[in-house]
């Protein structure tokens, strides 16, 4: 038999119980198959809880108004605005309640169109009674005023090329707006009425809904109006760079995730993977399920036009097999991508050890990833309890255990990672885990405790009676860091399970 695995005879149960005041210790109960006395032997079913609330997501998408365009008179902002949240868990934010009413001598001569662009729609002519409209659409970025001595297509497309998120530009003249200025090649400001509006999503002529009609200059100046509103698209809609601490699991697909472990959702004003990752990282943990570990970002299309951008969050990782929702109630799912949060801790569920052939339960001192150590020449004051018949872990068939598993002493034990972690110096990480200290009942477990050690320093201390409680603590890495759990004092045993270390 391996020196790192201990099995127990049924004949020793009476002696063990006598040594712990009549309480059968985990070392006896778990091997003999006795009736569990603790919630540590009542696993949590997280596989079917909290299904995706697709109905609320769709109904919220149909409530928000995220369509906007270049402002009529105000200058463009100096930088591209950050992504804005327009709804959270069904509640529409101020940004999602209504779009702004954002809404030129022109020449019909045209410069060449740049490589990589496609004409989506052409503007109307230049006659005195011709009228056109600019785009009011989702994912608006910014605008620029161009030299209007010509219908400057390549100038607008050059501007789009300079903004990484831009995939579509709308070029048009707007008349009766006298404060438009552009910076010419002679380093001087001159008046112009040729506007180039940029978007991070594609749009069609159906979204040309801003016809002007504002009295922006004092009477007798006329109302604003628009002519020659054309649209040009470039490369396909792409995801932003992979967020730190994540791996892409699937996509793009035309179906969104419909899975358990749903934590809520947010609507964004543009397709922004990093913004969705930030929301997942900062999402409050679900008390039963834990921290956000997966997000699904997708674009909603209604009546052929993009409507909103959904960021759904989950405490259970999943894959393309659960991307089954193609849409409903006239809303279609497009550009659906799934991303999983990466834990730098191998085997946070303690499942890496195995019992000897023929045994359904055992107590393991050492695996490829964890090592249990004891003080005062004792042993098995920290170990991994594994049983395939009675599930003592919160999930899976194994759990970390602190305290003399056979009740033969009251020493605390230490359960630590076997090898230093692959952490990045200076980065902050969040350690998440579940803890149960209920084996002996509230009275005996009042003395239970566990300290979380990061490079030998206590960063979190817990005590008292608990039943599979979620905990987390943020730490700073120095590189090659060591995580350990120290505690347990029989008969106040403590169990640890589902440990993760994520980038904060």
């Amino acid at each position: 038999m391996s020196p790192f695995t201990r099995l127990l005879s049924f004949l020793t149960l009476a002696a063990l119980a006598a040594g712990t005041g009549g309480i059968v210790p985990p070392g006896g109960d778990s091997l003999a198959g006795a009736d569990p006395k603790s919630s540590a032997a009542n696993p949590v079913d997280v596989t079917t809880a909290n299904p995706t609330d697709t109905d609320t997501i769709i109904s919220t998408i149909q409530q928000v108004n995220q369509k906007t365009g270049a402002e009529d008179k105000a200058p463009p902002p100096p930088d591209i605005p950050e992504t804005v949240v327009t709804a959270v868990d069904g509640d529409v934010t101020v940004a999602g309640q209504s779009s702004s009413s954002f809404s030129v001598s022109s020449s019909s001569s045209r410069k060449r169109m740049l490589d990589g662009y496609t004409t989506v729609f052409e503007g109307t002519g230049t006659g005195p009674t011709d009228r056109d409209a600019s785009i009011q659409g989702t994912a608006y970025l910014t605008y620029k005023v161009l030299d209007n001595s010509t219908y400057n297509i390549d100038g607008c497309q050059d501007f789009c090329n300079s903004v990484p998120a831009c995939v579509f530009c709308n070029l048009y003249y707007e008349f009766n707006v006298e404060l438009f200025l552009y910076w010419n090649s002679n380093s001087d400001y001159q008046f112009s009425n040729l506007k180039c509006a940029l978007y991070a999503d594609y749009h069609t002529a159906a979204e040309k809904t801003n016809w002007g009609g504002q009295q922006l200059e004092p009477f007798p100046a006329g109302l604003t109006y628009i002519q020659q509103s054309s649209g040009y698209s470039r490369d396909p809609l792409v995801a932003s760079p992979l967020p730190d601490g994540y791996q892409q699991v699937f996509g793009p697909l035309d179906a969104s995730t419909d899975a358990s472990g749903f934590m809520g959702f947010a609507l964004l004003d543009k397709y922004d993977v990093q913004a969705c990752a930030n929301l997942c990282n900062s999402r409050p943990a679900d008390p039963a399920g834990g921290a956000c570990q997966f997000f699904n970002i997708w674009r909603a299309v209604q009546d052929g036009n993009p409507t909103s951008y959904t960021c759904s969050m989950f405490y259970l990782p999943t894959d393309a097999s659960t991307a089954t929702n193609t849409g409903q109630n006239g809303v279609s799912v497009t550009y659906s991508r799934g991303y999983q949060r990466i834990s730098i801790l191998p085997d946070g569920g303690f499942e890496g050890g195995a019992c000897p052939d023929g045994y359904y339960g055992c107590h393991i001192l050492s695996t490829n990833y964890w090592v249990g150590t004891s003080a005062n020449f004792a042993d098995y004051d920290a170990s991994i309890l594994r049983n395939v018949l009675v599930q003592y872990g919160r999930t899976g068939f194994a759990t970390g255990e602190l305290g003399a598993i056979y009740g033969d002493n009251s020493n605390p034990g230490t359960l630590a990672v076997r090898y230093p972690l692959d952490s990045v110096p200076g980065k902050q990480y969040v350690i998440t885990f579940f803890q149960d200290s209920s084996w002996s009942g509230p009275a005996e477990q009042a003395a239970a405790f566990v300290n979380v050690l990061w490079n030998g320093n206590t960063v979190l201390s817990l005590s008292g009676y608990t039943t599979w409680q979620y905990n987390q603590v943020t730490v700073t890495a120095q590189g090659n860091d060591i995580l350990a759990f120290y505690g347990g004092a029989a008969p106040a045993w403590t169990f640890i399970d589902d440990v993760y270390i994520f980038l904060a």
Side-chain angles (χ1 to χ4, degrees), residues 318-461:
T318 186
D319 54 30
S321 66
T322 61
T324 57
N325 173 43
T326 58
Q328 60 189 52
N329 299 335
V331 175
S332 299
V333 176
T334 60
Y335 292 106
S336 174
R337 291 179 170 93
Y339 296 83
Q340 181 177 340
R341 207 169 179 183
I342 299 170
S343 174
I344 65 169
L345 175 69
D347 192 24
F350 304 98
E351 301 291 333
C355 295
D357 291 344
Y359 292 89
Y360 61 80
C362 62
H363 310 112
I364 306 169
L365 276 183
S366 176
T367 71
N368 290 335
Y369 306 106
W370 293 95
V371 177
T373 57
S374 306
N376 302 325
F377 304 101
D379 64 359
Y380 286 89
D381 293 340
S383 61
I384 295 170
L385 188 158
R386 183 173 180 83
N387 193 296
V388 298
L389 296 183
V390 180
Q391 186 176 330
Y392 286 83
R394 174 180 172 269
T395 58
F397 296 101
T399 181
E401 184 275 337
L402 299 174
I405 201 163
Y406 302 109
D408 51 355
N409 66 65
S410 58
N411 297 333
T414 301
L415 195 58
V417 295
R418 175 176 283 278
Y419 301 110
L421 298 167
D422 186 18
S423 50
V424 179
K427 290 282 190 180
Q428 284 197 317
Y429 292 84
V430 58
I431 304 168
T432 78
F433 64 98
F434 283 85
Q435 174 231 354
D436 183 287
S437 295
S438 64
W439 186 274
S440 303
E444 292 287 353
Q445 293 287 160
F449 79 98
V450 59
N451 294 337
V452 181
L453 306 180
W454 185 252
N455 299 319
N457 300 311
T458 300
V459 293
L460 179 66
S461 296

Side-chain angles (χ1 to χ4, degrees), residues 196-214:
C196 174
L198 306 186
Y199 292 82
D201 206 342
Y202 306 117
H203 297 287
T204 68
E207 295 174 279
K208 293 168 67 171
T209 57
N210 176 28
W211 297 86
Q214 291 85 35

Side-chain angles (χ1 to χ4, degrees), residues 93-414:
T93 66
V94 172
Q97 290 175 1
S98 62
S99 65
S100 303
S101 57
F102 299 155
S103 342
V104 254
S105 139
S106 65
S107 170
S108 61
S109 63
R110 297 180 178 231
K111 286 190 172 184
R112 63 178 178 82
M113 191 162 66
L114 299 185
D115 291 340
Y117 280 85
T118 301
T119 301
V120 181
F121 53 83
E122 295 274 8
T124 65
T126 59
T129 60
D130 287 332
R131 296 293 181 266
D132 205 349
S134 64
I135 291 291
Q136 290 282 97
T138 60
Y140 169 71
L141 296 171
T142 187
Y143 83 95
K144 182 178 183 179
V145 178
L146 304 173
D147 177 2
N148 63 359
S149 61
T150 183
Y151 192 71
N152 199 348
I153 297 175
D154 62 344
C156 188
Q157 293 170 355
D158 272 331
F159 181 39
C160 185
N161 287 341
S162 71
V163 178
C166 180
V167 297
F168 177 89
C169 53
N170 180 205
L171 180 65
Y172 59 93
Y173 291 104
E174 185 169 23
F175 292 89
N176 292 328
V177 183
E178 300 301 332
L179 293 183
F180 285 159
L181 298 171
Y182 81 96
W183 187 257
N184 68 14
S185 59
N186 296 321
S187 299
D188 189 18
Y189 282 109
Q190 295 185 357
F191 287 104
S192 172
N193 59 351
L194 181 61
K195 298 177 74 172
C196 174
L198 306 186
Y199 292 82
D201 206 342
Y202 306 117
H203 297 287
T204 68
E207 295 174 279
K208 293 168 67 171
T209 57
N210 176 28
W211 297 86
Q214 291 85 35
Q215 185 74 55
L216 297 183
E217 302 301 326
F219 188 82
L223 303 179
T224 61
Y225 65 93
I226 290 167
Q227 289 185 323
Q228 290 184 264
S229 176
S230 302
Y232 308 95
S233 66
R234 64 167 183 164
D235 301 330
L237 187 69
V238 295
S240 52
L242 186 68
D244 284 346
Y246 283 86
Q247 61 181 346
Q248 184 171 347
V249 180
F250 67 81
L253 303 174
D254 289 334
S256 64
T257 297
D258 189 359
S260 300
F262 180 65
M263 300 181 71
F265 71 98
L267 300 186
L268 307 176
D269 69 343
K270 51 182 171 288
Y271 194 98
D272 189 335
V273 174
Q274 183 62 59
C276 195
N278 294 344
L279 289 172
C280 182
N281 291 350
S282 61
R283 186 78 176 184
D286 182 273
C292 179
Q293 296 193 48
F294 176 88
F295 69 83
N296 175 215
I297 185 170
W298 53 278
R299 179 181 74 158
V301 173
Q302 192 166 20
D303 299 325
N305 298 310
T307 303
S308 186
Y309 310 89
T310 301
C311 174
S312 297
M313 291 158 279
F314 299 80
Y315 56 74
L316 291 177
T318 186
D319 54 30
S321 66
T322 61
T324 57
N325 173 43
T326 58
Q328 60 189 52
N329 299 335
V331 175
S332 299
V333 176
T334 60
Y335 292 106
S336 174
R337 291 179 170 93
Y339 296 83
Q340 181 177 340
R341 207 169 179 183
I342 299 170
S343 174
I344 65 169
L345 175 69
D347 192 24
F350 304 98
E351 301 291 333
C355 295
D357 291 344
Y359 292 89
Y360 61 80
C362 62
H363 310 112
I364 306 169
L365 276 183
S366 176
T367 71
N368 290 335
Y369 306 106
W370 293 95
V371 177
T373 57
S374 306
N376 302 325
F377 304 101
D379 64 359
Y380 286 89
D381 293 340
S383 61
I384 295 170
L385 188 158
R386 183 173 180 83
N387 193 296
V388 298
L389 296 183
V390 180
Q391 186 176 330
Y392 286 83
R394 174 180 172 269
T395 58
F397 296 101
T399 181
E401 184 275 337
L402 299 174
I405 201 163
Y406 302 109
D408 51 355
N409 66 65
S410 58
N411 297 333
T414 301

Side-chain angles (χ1 to χ4, degrees), residues 29-120:
D29 179 88
S30 60
L31 291 180
D35 291 336
K37 304 299 190 297
S38 164
S39 68
N42 295 317
V44 178
D45 182 8
V46 295
T47 60
T48 59
N50 296 351
T52 306
D53 189 359
T54 303
D55 289 344
T56 300
I57 294 175
I58 297 297
S59 65
T60 307
I61 288 171
Q62 294 174 320
Q63 293 177 48
V64 297
N65 188 348
Q66 298 186 194
K67 295 182 179 295
T68 188
E71 298 188 22
D72 290 317
K73 202 167 183 178
D79 300 304
I80 303 299
E82 296 290 333
T83 297
V84 174
V85 174
T86 58
V88 178
D89 298 335
D91 294 326
V92 178
T93 66
V94 172
Q97 290 175 1
S98 62
S99 65
S100 303
S101 57
F102 299 155
S103 342
V104 254
S105 139
S106 65
S107 170
S108 61
S109 63
R110 297 180 178 231
K111 286 190 172 184
R112 63 178 178 82
M113 191 162 66
L114 299 185
D115 291 340
Y117 280 85
T118 301
T119 301
V120 181

